[in-house]
Structures are given as structure tokens and as C-alpha cells.
Amino acid sequence: MKETRIYRCDDTPEAIFTAVYDAGKSAYGHDHIRLEVNMPEAEQNYTLFSEYVDVVPDPDKMTKVLRTVRRQISQQAYEYIMVAAGSRQPDKADVIYHFIVYGFALGSKVTEALHIPCVQRIFEIYRKARNEAHYFLEFIRFEEISWQDHPVLYAVIEPENEVIDMVADHFTDRLNPEWFIVYDKSHGKAAFHNPGRRWYMRQLEQRERHVLDELEHSGGQEYADLWKAFFDSIAIKERENSGLQRTNLPLHYRKHMTEFH
């Protein structure tokens, strides 16, 4: 019986798509290949009668995989795998690999083939990330700060999945005349927007993260006080329902909301 070959990679898109490239080029047999991500919170177990391959990230290989997915499968498939790569799901690399394998066989129809386990799973991951992004679009709070002599709208989020691109796209359309920064504290990234332009995103260095941490709550206190006073004034104490409130507004999203400070 042919032993399973397991490709182990770091938890970065570059490493994951390099693993996809190496596994696909190996011609070892898709049924005998599994991809695993080295995630600190995930339990790493070694299995008997398996061959382990440590993947070295290669940006050129990642580019080839993504370009091929866009050309030979579809833009929607590309969006599925990119969202999955930024999720916190421990099985994401293996799901992405087998989804792409089916994509080469089925073409653009692969995203509709929910009877296939890996397609169903990647759709679940994608939907969960989209739902989280939707929550942040509702609950994100901006405050005005001064940044390089410009008034800037600044917001902090701590998502489980990498949803900053969806959030930045949304607010670029709605706040196009404004300077704004959305800081993803969980993943150490920030989206920057200049008036009238598209936003751009950067992976931040530790020094830059420290600067943005210091900016939080550095300005707009008068506005914050007014915001909290408004919520206090409309609240009806006798009709408070903390259970329903937690359902509609989970505790996870309150950390950076002005009215809960």
C-alpha cells in the first residue's frame, strides 16, 4: 500500500501555495497527498507510515499557482482559496489543494459542486470569513486622529480571519474623500486610504505596530463621550436584555467599540 505524503508548511499564503505547487508537481497521486499547516494553536501529530516533506516558501511558485487558478478555473475560485488561506482553520491547506485539483477537472463549475467534500468545506470557510467581515462592517468604529498633519479616520479590528481587504473595499467606496487607516491587530496588517484613490495594505513591522497601538484612543475623546452619552440616553433600563444583546452583538466585537470603553 502506498504511504501518505504529507507536505508541512508555515501559516502564510506564500508557504501554503508553494506546498500546493510542490504537491501538484510531484505526480505522487492526489489521493496519497495531504497538506498540513504549522499553526501554534493546532495540535501537530505525526502518523506512522507517512512521508513528511517540509516546504520552503517560494513567491514565484505562489504566483504561478494563483495565476493558473485565475486563468483555468475562475475568479470566484481564486477568491475562495485566498479567503481560505487567510482563515484560522487548521485543515485549510489540504482543503485548498484538493479544491484546486477538482477545479482543474471541472473548471469554473467547481464552486457549484457542493457534493464534493473539499468544495463544501472551502465554501464553509469562505462563508464564515464573509460573515465575520459583515459583522465588522456594522460594528467597526472610527475615531479622528492627526497623522502627518492630516485629519485621519482610524479604526482597529481584531478578526479571527483575514478580512481586512473586504473591510477596506467597503469603506473605500463609502469614505472615498477621506484619509483612513484600518489596523488589523490580529494579523499585524493595516489598510491605508488616500482621498480619491484605492487603498493599499502593508504587513507591519513591530515598530509600526507599536506606533498604531499608541494611536488608539489618542484623539476624538469629545466625540467618544458624546457617543456614549447618546447610548445612555436612549437605553431603557427595565428592558435591558443582555442575552439578546450578546446574540446581536457578540462580546468579541465590543473590544474596540467606542460605546463600550
Side-chain angles (χ1 to χ4, degrees), residues 83-202:
V83 169
S87 74
R88 300 304 300 163
Q89 304 303 315
D91 62 338
K92 60 184 179 180
D94 194 58
V95 170
I96 289 170
Y97 173 70
H98 288 97
F99 173 77
I100 291 174
V101 169
Y102 276 104
F104 288 150
L106 300 177
S108 61
K109 294 182 179 180
V110 67
T111 54
E112 302 171 8
L114 295 178
H115 60 284
I116 301 173
C118 67
V119 178
Q120 183 182 48
R121 177 61 179 145
I122 204 168
F123 177 73
E124 290 172 355
I125 295 171
Y126 178 78
R127 182 174 58 184
K128 183 177 181 180
R130 295 287 296 185
N131 287 344
E132 184 180 27
H134 182 71
Y135 269 119
F136 278 111
L137 299 186
E138 293 184 356
F139 301 143
I140 195 170
R141 296 291 184 262
F142 286 93
E143 60 180 298
E144 187 174 290
I145 62 171
S146 179
W147 177 271
Q148 298 178 351
D149 298 325
H150 294 287
V152 176
L153 299 176
Y154 176 65
V156 181
I157 60 175
E158 291 192 47
E160 177 184 348
N161 302 288
E162 292 198 27
V163 299
I164 191 171
D165 55 339
M166 303 181 213
V167 173
D169 272 339
H170 176 86
F171 287 105
T172 295
D173 290 338
R174 286 153 182 80
L175 301 174
N176 199 258
E178 306 289 343
W179 298 76
F180 71 75
I181 301 172
V182 178
Y183 173 33
D184 179 350
K185 203 168 185 177
S186 300
H187 302 95
K189 296 182 177 181
F192 300 86
H193 175 262
N194 294 348
R197 302 180 185 177
R198 296 299 299 169
W199 60 274
Y200 69 95
M201 183 170 60
R202 284 192 54 210

Side-chain angles (χ1 to χ4, degrees), residues 12-19 21-22 55-67:
T12 65
E14 185 176 295
I16 291 170
F17 292 117
T18 299
Y21 182 93
D22 290 346
V55 175
V56 178
D58 185 327
D60 291 335
K61 292 179 179 179
M62 179 183 73
T63 300
K64 290 177 182 178
V65 170
L66 298 181
R67 184 172 59 234

